[in-house]
């Protein structure tokens, strides 16, 4: 690396907060990007399977989006406008309502928030407490909803919470049906059944200890929790129980919204209509934007009950409109599903050869590879030990082999793949080649002959 550039990067690291995260693992100066590829200051190429944690659905500098932004910046329109009506806002809202599922859009109101998913979660918390007059909230173990106080209180990960107090009261955590590490020590079907039974009992038992909640907040695919997809059957069961008990069902689609799962929204494949959907990341097409869309019957808060200076981020409205238009083109989501399935199949083939891969899971282009120590002692529920040490080393090895991805999940042992939604089949093959090369440098693969039968069975 250029000595001057590297010196400045190290100086930046010294000046930045100890709370910085991604820069610790990606110790490069990333100078430019083009769709699914980025380049550092020395010109080295990387396939980007992080895509700004999913906030770049069309990748870096997609020409369809960039041209719209460039035209807007030359138009003389407002760049920030609070919540005042503007041409950019009119166009975005029209496009948003076309993208929302018809059964939901028919009765939907929209609240623009400060431009982060956390702020939209905070808005939902305020809204449903106001609308229902209730105080308790149901969330799930393994959940990630953001880093502000209300959102953090509903997070499953204990790390960011351990030194903080003052969260909203009466947050009750429920077991998520994580098939590979069942909280019940059961198989996938029983885990789902028991999870729903637990919820049913909690809402119907007069001595459950939990007051009737203002909302139930859930990710249809847990993201930071380890790319754990909820089945369509479980989501339908969740909707049936919450509807019967008059508990608003709120979908956190911050990471899954707008095509990531292969459907426009990850809950759609279950055929359900939630009471609210929280959106950020992809909705702004790479620029900061967040909102809550919810059933109009809950629109019972007062003017100014939730506000923020940058909820009128006009550039994000323009880029978001362009992104939604592009994603709604014929064949775009079909390609996400096809390439996602190809990528998953190739990763499953690696699982047959590398004993450290415990599970490959996910939907669309939101995939997780859980790493384990196959020689370690199982825990009390019979689960193999998570291998966060290997995951950390693999993340580094992937970077050295031109692949950017992130880890997450329990003990940081899940390699998370969130590439731009525009990657091709050739890109998917290249991703797996680089991933395999990096993994083989750290863990021995089974001989080809020994793994052939297992690979054919996938």
């Amino acid at each position: 690396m250029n000595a001057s550039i590297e010196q400045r990067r190290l100086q930046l690291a010294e000046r930045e907060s100890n709370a910085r995260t991604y820069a610790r693992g990606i110790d490069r100066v990333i100078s430019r990007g083009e769709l699914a590829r980025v380049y550092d200051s020395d010109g080295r190429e990387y396939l980007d399977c992080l895509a700004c944690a999913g906030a770049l659905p069309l990748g870096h500098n997609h020409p369809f989006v960039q041209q719209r932004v460039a035209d807007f910046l030359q138009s003389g329109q407002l760049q920030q406008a609070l919540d005042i009506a503007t041409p950019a806002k009119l166009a975005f809202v029209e496009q948003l309502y076309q993208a929302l599922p018809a059964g939901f859009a028919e009765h939907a109101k929209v609240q623009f928030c400060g431009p982060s998913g956390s702020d939209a979660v905070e808005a939902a918390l305020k809204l449903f407490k106001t609308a229902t007059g209730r105080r308790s909230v149901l969330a799930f173990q393994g959940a990630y909803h953001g880093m502000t106080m209300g959102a953090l209180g509903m997070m499953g990960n204990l790390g960011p919470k351990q030194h903080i107090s003052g969260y909203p009261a009466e947050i009750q955590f429920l077991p998520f049906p994580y098939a590979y590490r069942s909280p019940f020590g059961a198989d996938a079907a029983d885990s789902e059944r028991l999870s729903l039974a637990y919820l049913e009992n909690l809402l119907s038992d007069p001595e459950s200890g939990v007051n009737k909640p203002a909302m139930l907040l859930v990710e249809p695919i847990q993201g930071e929790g380890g790319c754990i997809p909820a089945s369509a059957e479980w989501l339908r069961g969740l909707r049936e129980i919450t509807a019967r008990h008059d508990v608003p069902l709120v979908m956190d689609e911050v990471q899954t919204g707008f095509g990531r799962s292969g459907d426009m929204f990850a809950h759609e494949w279950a055929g359900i209509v939630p009471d609210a959907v929280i959106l950020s990341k992809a909705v702004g097409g790479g620029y900061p934007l967040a909102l809550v869309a919810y059933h109009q019957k809950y629109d019972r808060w007062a003017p100014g009950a939730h506000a923020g200076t940058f909820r009128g981020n006009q550039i994000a409205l323009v880029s978001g409109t362009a992104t939604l238009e592009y994603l709604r083109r014929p064949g775009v989501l079909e390609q996400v599903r096809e390439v996602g399935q190809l990528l998953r199949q190739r990763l499953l083939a690696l699982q047959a050869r590398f004993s450290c891969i415990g599970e490959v899971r996910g939907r669309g282009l939101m995939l997780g590879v859980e790493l384990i120590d196959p020689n370690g002692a199982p825990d009390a529920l019979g689960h193999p030990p998570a291998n966060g040490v290997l995951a950390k080393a693999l993340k580094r090895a992937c970077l050295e082999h031109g692949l950017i991805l992130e880890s997450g999940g329990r003990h940081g042992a899940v390699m998370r793949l969130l590439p731009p939604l525009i990657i091709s089949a050739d890109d998917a093959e290249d991703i797996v080649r680089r991933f395999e090369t990096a993994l083989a440098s750290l863990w021995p693969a089974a001989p080809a002959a020994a793994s052939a039968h297992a690979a054919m069975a996938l």
Side-chain angles (χ1 to χ4, degrees):
M1 179 181 289
N2 181 287
S4 176
I5 291 289
E6 175 63 3
Q7 185 177 20
R8 291 167 63 194
R9 186 191 68 80
L10 293 173
Q11 186 179 58
L12 174 63
E14 291 178 358
R15 289 173 171 173
E16 273 199 300
S17 161
N18 197 47
R20 70 190 188 284
T21 54
Y22 299 104
R24 295 178 182 276
I26 305 172
D27 55 348
R28 305 284 192 276
V29 176
I30 305 299
S31 57
R32 65 185 181 92
E34 182 179 353
L35 301 180
R37 286 168 168 77
V38 298
Y39 303 84
D40 69 18
S41 55
D42 286 335
R44 287 177 292 193
E45 179 212 69
Y46 304 84
L47 267 166
D48 184 5
C49 278
L50 179 58
C52 195
L56 291 169
L58 303 185
H60 299 270
N61 299 307
H62 194 286
F64 187 77
V65 176
Q66 292 302 83
Q67 188 60 56
R68 294 287 188 88
V69 172
D71 291 345
F72 170 77
L73 291 174
Q74 298 299 319
S75 70
Q77 296 181 51
L78 302 181
Q79 292 189 20
Q80 298 291 343
L82 301 171
D83 62 358
I84 300 166
T86 64
K89 189 172 186 179
L90 295 175
F92 175 84
V93 171
E94 290 169 0
Q95 194 62 228
L96 173 68
Y97 273 67
Q98 292 178 55
L100 290 169
F104 180 81
E106 181 182 1
H107 304 288
K109 289 272 193 166
V110 61
Q111 167 69 27
F112 288 90
C113 306
S116 75
S118 293
D119 194 68
V121 170
E122 299 284 351
L125 187 63
K126 293 179 185 178
L127 169 64
F128 285 100
K129 286 192 173 188
T130 299
T132 64
R134 306 170 196 159
R135 293 294 174 262
S136 68
V137 174
L138 300 181
F140 284 89
Q141 295 165 358
Y144 181 93
H145 300 296
M147 285 289 186
T148 49
M149 287 298 286
L152 189 63
M154 295 180 285
M155 179 193 288
N157 189 335
L158 298 178
K161 303 170 69 169
Q162 60 183 338
H163 301 299
I164 310 298
S165 61
Y167 305 120
E170 297 188 70
I171 296 173
Q172 177 74 22
F173 286 91
L174 306 171
F176 192 82
Y178 179 4
Y180 188 67
R181 296 188 181 278
S182 168
F184 306 102
D187 62 21
D190 276 346
S191 291
E192 292 186 359
R193 179 183 62 80
L194 292 168
S195 171
L196 294 174
Y198 186 99
L199 174 62
E200 174 65 41
N201 183 71
L202 184 146
L203 293 175
S204 60
D205 184 355
E207 297 199 21
S208 69
V210 178
N211 290 318
K212 191 170 185 176
M215 68 176 186
L216 184 150
L217 180 61
V218 64
E219 299 163 278
I221 304 175
Q222 286 196 340
E224 302 296 325
C227 287
I228 308 169
S231 75
E233 292 75 17
W234 184 80
L235 288 171
R236 284 192 284 268
L238 203 64
R239 174 71 284 189
E240 190 279 325
I241 292 172
T242 53
R244 182 159 38 82
H245 287 279
D246 187 30
V247 174
L249 176 62
V250 180
M251 289 285 165
D252 183 337
E253 294 252 18
V254 168
Q255 195 163 102
T256 52
F258 301 105
R260 175 59 56 186
S261 69
D263 295 304
M264 190 63 78
F265 301 94
H267 71 269
E268 282 189 273
W269 80 322
I272 63 173
V273 180
D275 295 292
V277 181
I278 300 170
L279 300 169
S280 187
K281 292 190 186 293
V283 74
Y287 292 84
L289 189 66
L291 60 90
V292 182
Y294 55 91
H295 195 288
Q296 61 191 11
K297 69 182 179 182
Y298 296 107
D299 195 30
R300 293 167 58 185
W301 46 2
H306 191 79
T309 300
F310 295 108
R311 66 193 185 280
N313 185 346
Q314 301 295 292
I315 298 174
L317 292 172
V318 170
S319 60
T321 299
T323 299
L324 296 185
E325 285 183 22
Y326 190 93
L327 290 173
R328 294 181 62 243
R329 287 179 170 181
V332 171
L333 293 185
E334 181 181 2
Q335 179 178 322
V336 172
R337 291 190 290 270
E338 290 177 354
V339 176
Q341 179 62 14
L342 172 64
L343 185 55
R344 187 171 182 271
Q345 289 174 345
R346 296 294 184 265
L347 292 170
L348 284 168
L350 292 187
Q351 182 183 13
R353 297 181 52 230
F354 291 91
S355 61
C356 61
I357 297 180
E359 186 177 44
V360 174
R361 56 175 176 262
R363 288 175 51 209
L365 287 171
M366 186 172 182
L367 299 172
V369 178
E370 181 154 349
L371 302 178
I372 61 170
D373 178 1
N375 302 313
D379 65 18
L381 293 177
H383 305 143
N387 202 337
V389 172
L390 176 60
K392 184 176 181 179
L394 179 56
K395 182 165 61 173
R396 180 68 192 185
C398 284
L399 184 68
E400 297 297 336
H401 287 89
L403 180 62
I404 294 176
L405 42 69
E406 191 49 65
S407 57
R410 271 66 170 183
H411 307 287
V414 180
M415 310 307 294
R416 302 179 60 229
L417 287 81
L418 299 169
L421 304 183
I422 46 76
I423 65 168
S424 65
D426 287 343
D427 291 331
E429 299 282 9
D430 200 358
I431 288 168
V432 175
R433 278 194 295 270
R434 299 184 193 202
F435 185 86
E436 179 181 9
T437 300
L439 183 56
S441 72
L442 301 170
W443 193 274
S451 62
H453 179 73
M456 290 174 62
L458 298 174

